[in-house]
Amino acid sequence: MLRQILEECHQGFDQVGFNEVVLMLSNTAATSEVYMMLDDLRFSDGGDIVTFMAEGGTHLHMYLDKIPEVRFIHRMNDQGLPSYSVWFMDENQDPVLRIYLRKSDDEDTNQPRHNLFMSLIEKYGTSLQLA
């Protein structure tokens, strides 16, 4: 299920997926942000690990079997603009990886990306239990 969700975020529809994103990896003591295009996802042969590839070789791994919940979060930010993010939660209800959609430099893709995100909420709800 988690692989399907990630592939839908990546592929989208009408040739527009999430595209420009920030991946935030966090724990209780630190966070790291990677600005990237969500255009290169690689799954291990067993399908239990996804690798998010960024330009220049930077990459993040996520162990899919360690994620019992996914949340789709849509709200307005401090500037009154829409904010879209997907949170991958651990067993303690802490987000271990978050995908934030950045406002696209290509204005024509912002509405299709909004439509994609809202269709994911319609399909999966705002919270999806995987375990």
Side-chain angles (χ1 to χ4, degrees), residues 6 18 20-26 31-38 40-41 51-54 58-61 86 88 96-102:
L6 288 166
F18 276 11
E20 299 155 83
V21 300
V22 176
L23 291 187
M24 180 181 283
L25 186 65
S26 62
T31 62
S32 175
E33 295 179 358
V34 177
Y35 288 73
M36 63 181 291
M37 298 294 288
L38 192 64
D40 190 356
L41 294 180
T51 302
F52 299 88
M53 299 296 298
T58 298
H59 59 280
L60 295 170
H61 302 287
V86 182
F88 300 89
V96 293
L97 181 85
R98 296 176 240 179
I99 300 175
Y100 291 93
L101 277 69
R102 293 184 288 146

Side-chain angles (χ1 to χ4, degrees), residues 37-125:
M37 298 294 288
L38 192 64
D39 59 1
D40 190 356
L41 294 180
R42 301 179 188 182
F43 292 92
S44 64
D45 291 338
D48 58 336
I49 301 170
V50 62
T51 302
F52 299 88
M53 299 296 298
E55 191 174 321
T58 298
H59 59 280
L60 295 170
H61 302 287
M62 182 169 64
Y63 295 86
L64 302 178
D65 61 345
K66 304 288 184 192
I67 307 298
E69 181 184 1
V70 176
R71 294 182 187 167
F72 295 92
I73 300 173
H74 176 245
R75 56 181 147 204
M76 302 305 273
N77 67 19
D78 295 339
Q79 293 82 32
L81 299 171
S83 173
Y84 310 91
S85 57
V86 182
W87 293 22
F88 300 89
M89 311 303 287
D90 68 13
E91 68 280 351
N92 297 319
Q93 296 293 301
D94 292 321
V96 293
L97 181 85
R98 296 176 240 179
I99 300 175
Y100 291 93
L101 277 69
R102 293 184 288 146
K103 184 175 183 206
S104 179
D105 293 333
D106 179 0
E107 198 62 43
D108 292 338
T109 65
N110 285 321
Q111 187 62 46
R113 293 167 73 215
H114 166 83
N115 295 344
L116 170 59
F117 194 88
M118 299 313 285
S119 73
L120 293 170
I121 288 176
E122 186 176 311
K123 182 175 183 177
Y124 297 110

